[in-house]
Structure formats: C-alpha cells, structure tokens
C-alpha cells in the first residue's frame, strides 16, 4: 500500500482549507468601497479650488495683474469689502478661473495669540456639498506697504495668513 499518495492528498486538502480561510478573513475584514458619484464631484471641485489658489499664488505678473500674496497684502482689513482693490482683483481672477461656481474667501491669521477669521469675499451661503481649499501666504512689512494694505506688521515680523476658499456649485 502506498501511503505517500494519501499524505499528498491530505496536504492538498490542508492547503485548500488554509487558502480558503485566508480569503474569507481578508474579504470579511476589508471593506471595499467604490466612490460614489457625489464624492467624485466633491474631489474634483476641491482639486479645482486648490489649483485656482496655487495658480493665483505662483503665476507670473505677465499672466495675472496681482498674485495671491499681493491681493491679501492690499486688504484693508474690513470684512466682506469687495470694493478693496486687492480683493476686487482677487474676486475677478477667481471668477475667471472658476466660471459657473460660487465661492467665499476667508482670511485667518493670529493676532495677540488669538486666531482671527474674517470674511474677505462673500458670494452667498455655501451649500452642503461645498468644499474648502486653503493656501497660506506670508506677509512682510514691505509687501503690505507696496500693496497699500492696512496690516500692522513690524519691520522684523512675518505674518502668516491662511486664505480659505469655499467653493460650491449652483
């Protein structure tokens, strides 16, 4: 009688059980999630917002009149004051980069150890599917003076401002 054939059969059955158990454990523990259509739109919208802020911050002056840092440096510190030269330029550039979308722009910065968030451009109330993208800009006394802004920055100080763009589709 050949015992080797029976041993090979038992090894095969044991390997099959081991592989089957491994597959069951993997499929039960890992949830495979397919992104929904709404989630894909949100991801695309968020990427558009980040791209717009990055483009405004890095584009050369031959392409746009004022970059993001110059727009923020020229802000006169009043909430929702689109009449301000820097914000008017920022609003115009954003409307060209994001046609068919509504957006709000908030500026967040630290002053006297307190985080302050001010509305810079307001175009309405965002819907529930709105996305937020942010970009930080660095202001110095020279950049504020060149843009005729109202920031109070000492000559040896640097002010970090977070520009938050809330974007939604109508």
């Amino acid at each position: 009688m050949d015992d080797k054939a029976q041993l090979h059969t038992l090894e095969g059955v044991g390997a099959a059980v081991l592989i089957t158990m491994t597959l069951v454990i993997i499929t039960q523990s890992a949830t495979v999630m397919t992104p929904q259509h709404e989630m894909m739109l949100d991801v695309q919208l968020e990427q558009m917002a980040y791209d717009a802020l990055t483009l405004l911050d890095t584009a050369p002056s031959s392409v746009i009149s004022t970059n993001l840092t110059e727009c923020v440096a020229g802000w006169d510190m009043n909430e929702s004051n689109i009449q301000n030269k820097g914000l008017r330029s920022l609003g115009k550039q954003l409307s060209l980069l994001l046609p068919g979308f509504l957006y709000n722009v908030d500026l967040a910065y630290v002053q006297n150890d307190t985080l302050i968030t001010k509305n810079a451009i307001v175009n309405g109330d965002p819907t529930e599917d709105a996305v937020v993208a942010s970009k930080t800009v660095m202001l110095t006394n020279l950049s504020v003076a060149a843009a005729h802004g109202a920031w109070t920055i000492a000559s040896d100080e640097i002010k970090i401002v977070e520009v938050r763009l809330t974007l939604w589709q109508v």
Side-chain angles (χ1 to χ4, degrees), residues 15-79:
V17 168
L18 185 62
I19 290 172
T20 305
M21 291 302 293
T22 303
L23 287 174
V24 167
I25 291 171
I26 289 173
T27 56
Q28 294 297 320
S29 66
T31 305
V32 178
M33 194 163 88
T34 306
Q36 302 299 321
H37 183 64
E38 297 87 22
M39 292 173 68
M40 290 293 290
L41 292 176
D42 287 348
V43 168
Q44 290 173 345
L45 193 61
E46 187 175 3
Q47 188 61 50
M48 286 175 58
Y50 276 110
D51 289 347
L53 287 176
T54 301
L55 180 65
L56 289 175
D57 196 36
T58 59
S61 59
S62 60
V63 177
I64 60 173
S65 57
T66 53
N67 66 23
L68 187 61
T69 302
E70 293 168 342
C71 291
V72 173
W75 185 45
D76 66 2
M77 308 295 284
N78 291 324
E79 285 192 323

Side-chain angles (χ1 to χ4, degrees), residues 23 33 57 76 80 92 95 98 103 129 144 154-155 162 166:
L23 287 174
M33 194 163 88
D57 196 36
D76 66 2
S80 305
K92 180 180 175 185
S95 64
L98 304 166
Y103 57 87
D129 62 342
V144 171
S155 60
E162 181 182 29
T166 306

Side-chain angles (χ1 to χ4, degrees), residues 6 15 18 28 45 73 85 94 96 110 132-133 142 144-145 150:
Q6 290 177 352
L18 185 62
Q28 294 297 320
L45 193 61
K85 181 183 175 193
L94 283 173
L96 290 174
V110 175
V132 179
L142 293 174
V144 171

Side-chain angles (χ1 to χ4, degrees), residues 3-19:
D3 290 338
K4 287 185 180 181
Q6 290 177 352
L7 185 59
H8 287 297
T9 304
L10 287 175
E11 286 178 354
V13 170
V17 168
L18 185 62
I19 290 172

